[in-house]
């Protein structure tokens, strides 16, 4: 029954996000702050991880091609497919569930513990709109992060392949261009928009409805990371089945 209650409360919260909006002059400041915290603040870790994981994918692919009949351009092809289809949209989102999701849950949860949310409600402000809507709008820029992860992942694979002596630049570029399907990019960004919505709302739910003190803020952050990751993986399966199946 607890899970059913949480599911119902989650969808009610989503409805309340768009009810009784905060005036634009205040909302604009909140949105810009969340863009800085959630998007710009995540560029460094995403760029670092994407570049080196792309290199690892390229090296492992090259080392597992032992048959001389297999063309060398397969390294570039496999790296491109791995980065665009799964690593950039899905695994970066799981990493972001730990970084961004925990930040959202802890910040809103701290406001709940210190009774700041109660103060907002006493003043007649829709606290859910005030707290969650800016994060939802900020994370509509999340595809920008994923596009950078795609580019740097492929670039990292190229650097590892060429400078590590695992293949030539010409073979790698040929692999990137071989059998390219533009819809795969569309598919990746559809997943990204869905995951961005999950990243904005699920951690906010666990932060807003948490009860207790400082210790419970940490527990709520852990719980939000777990359920955000579970939702991302389940939706990844469903969207892949619908869009590519």
């Amino acid at each position: 029954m607890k899970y059913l209650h949480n599911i119902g409360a989650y969808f009610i919260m989503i409805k309340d996000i768009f009810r009784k909006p905060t005036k634009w002059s205040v909302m604009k400041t909140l949105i810009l702050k969340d863009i800085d915290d959630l998007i710009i603040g995540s560029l460094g870790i995403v760029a670092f991880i994407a570049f080196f994981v792309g290199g690892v994918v390229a090296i492992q692919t090259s080392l597992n091609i032992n048959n001389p009949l297999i063309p060398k351009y397969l390294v570039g092809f496999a790296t491109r497919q791995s980065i665009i289809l799964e690593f950039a949209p899905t695994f970066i989102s799981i990493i972001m569930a730990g970084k961004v999701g925990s930040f959202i849950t802890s910040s809103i949860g701290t406001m709940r513990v210190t009774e700041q949310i109660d103060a907002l409600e006493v003043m007649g402000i829709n606290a859910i709109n005030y707290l969650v809507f800016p994060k939802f709008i900020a994370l509509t820029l999340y595809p920008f992060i994923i596009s950078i992860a795609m580019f740097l992942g492929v670039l990292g694979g190229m650097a590892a392949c060429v400078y590590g002596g695992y293949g030539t630049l010409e073979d790698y570029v040929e692999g990137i261009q071989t059998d390219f399907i533009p819809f795969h990019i569309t598919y990746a960004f559809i997943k990204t928009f869905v995951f961005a919505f999950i990243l904005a709302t699920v951690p906010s739910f666990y932060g807003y409805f948490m009860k207790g003190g400082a210790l419970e803020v940490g527990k709520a952050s852990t719980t939000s990371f777990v359920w955000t990751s579970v939702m991302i993986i389940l939706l990844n399966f469903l969207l892949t089945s619908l869009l590519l199946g």
Side-chain angles (χ1 to χ4, degrees):
M1 291 300 293
K2 179 182 177 182
Y3 292 121
L4 291 176
H5 175 270
N6 286 343
I7 291 170
Y10 173 73
F11 284 106
I12 291 172
M13 186 198 76
I14 291 174
K15 182 195 70 173
D16 289 341
I17 291 174
F18 305 98
R19 183 180 61 83
K20 195 181 176 184
T22 306
K23 62 182 181 179
W24 173 245
S25 59
V26 176
M27 185 60 69
K28 179 175 67 174
T29 304
L30 295 173
I31 291 172
L32 291 175
K33 182 180 183 302
D34 281 332
I35 289 174
D36 183 51
D37 291 337
L38 305 181
I39 302 298
I40 298 175
S42 302
L43 287 176
I45 185 65
V46 169
F48 178 82
I49 292 173
F51 185 84
F52 285 101
V53 169
V56 169
V57 171
I59 292 171
Q60 289 184 348
T61 304
S62 177
L63 292 176
N64 282 281
I65 298 176
N66 297 320
N67 193 326
L69 299 177
I70 298 176
K72 293 294 184 183
Y73 68 76
L74 185 63
V75 175
F77 175 82
T79 303
R80 182 200 73 199
Q81 293 297 94
S82 300
I83 295 294
I84 290 178
L85 291 177
E86 280 306 311
F87 171 74
T90 305
F91 292 102
I92 287 293
S93 295
I94 293 175
I95 293 167
M96 291 288 280
K99 183 185 183 301
V100 171
S102 296
F103 172 79
I104 292 173
T105 302
S106 60
S107 61
I108 296 178
T110 301
M111 292 183 70
R112 172 64 75 186
V113 169
T114 55
E115 299 181 349
Q116 295 179 56
I117 293 178
D118 297 331
L120 289 172
E121 292 172 346
V122 167
M123 290 187 291
I125 296 172
N126 179 3
I128 292 179
N129 175 265
Y130 183 88
L131 295 172
V132 182
F133 186 75
K135 294 169 176 55
F136 170 72
I137 296 299
L139 282 168
T140 57
L141 297 177
Y142 184 54
F144 172 68
I145 287 182
I146 298 303
S147 63
I148 291 176
M150 290 178 182
F151 172 75
L152 289 176
V154 173
L155 185 66
M158 181 182 71
C161 186
V162 174
Y163 294 107
Y166 297 100
T168 64
L169 177 62
E170 292 75 17
D171 287 337
Y172 189 84
V173 172
E174 181 184 355
I176 293 174
Q177 297 173 339
T178 300
D179 294 333
F180 176 67
I181 301 174
F183 180 72
H184 286 171
I185 299 291
T186 305
Y187 155 78
F189 281 118
I190 289 172
K191 289 204 302 184
T192 299
F193 275 112
V194 174
F195 295 161
F197 181 78
I198 296 299
L199 286 170
T201 55
V202 173
S204 297
F205 170 80
Y206 280 100
Y208 188 85
F209 290 103
M210 66 144 293
K211 297 178 181 178
L215 180 61
E216 282 71 24
V217 173
K219 291 181 179 179
S221 297
T222 302
T223 305
S224 76
F225 168 68
V226 171
W227 283 107
T228 303
S229 301
V230 168
M231 289 296 296
I232 287 171
I233 291 169
L234 287 176
L235 288 170
N236 181 49
F237 175 78
L238 292 174
L239 289 170
T240 302
S241 300
L242 290 172
L243 297 174
L244 295 183

